[in-house]
Amino acid sequence: MAFLLNKTGIASHFRSQSQQKTEDSLSLSRRGFHIEPGPREKALLAEDRALKRFKSHKKDVWRIKRLGDVLTIVVVAGCCYEIYVRAVLREEAREKAKAENA
């Protein structure tokens, strides 16, 4: 049955109609953003003094992120230094043990 639908072109007709419907709905939603908001929307978007203390402050968030980045770099650098120091101490211990055995 699906084979016959593909051969007759009926399926392509249905596909093209469904694509047109989705394109129309997308264009309608896009047009909706260009209209002026009404008084209720403006009231909802207006700044509210009671909610101001709960707002996220961009500079504070940026500073906390920056502090986290710096702390991450410091911790990674400290770990790398510890690994380096242990490798150097182990190498020195091997050389010392070789010198004592020889």
Side-chain angles (χ1 to χ4, degrees):
M1 184 72 177
F3 176 75
L4 291 175
L5 285 176
N6 287 337
K7 288 293 182 186
T8 58
I10 295 172
S12 64
H13 175 70
F14 287 128
R15 280 190 215 114
S16 65
Q17 280 185 344
S18 66
Q19 287 175 353
Q20 287 175 354
K21 286 180 185 175
T22 57
E23 289 173 1
D24 290 342
S25 65
L26 288 174
S27 62
L28 286 174
S29 66
R30 285 187 194 135
R31 267 188 247 135
F33 291 121
H34 297 291
I35 60 173
E36 187 68 26
R40 183 167 186 241
E41 287 87 3
K42 286 182 181 178
L44 288 171
L45 293 172
E47 189 172 326
D48 190 0
R49 287 178 169 254
L51 299 175
K52 190 166 183 147
R53 67 180 180 155
F54 297 110
K55 258 189 171 176
S56 173
H57 300 286
K58 287 186 179 181
K59 280 195 171 188
D60 291 341
V61 171
W62 181 82
R63 285 181 185 148
I64 291 171
K65 283 183 180 179
R66 178 64 72 185
L67 180 66
D69 293 343
V70 169
L71 286 175
T72 302
I73 291 170
V74 167
V75 168
V76 169
C79 290
C80 291
Y81 178 73
E82 279 292 318
I83 292 170
Y84 171 75
V85 166
R86 289 189 183 197
V88 168
L89 289 176
R90 184 179 296 153
E91 189 65 33
E92 288 175 359
R94 283 183 189 162
E95 288 177 5
K96 189 176 180 182
K98 236 185 209 183
E100 289 177 0
N101 289 335

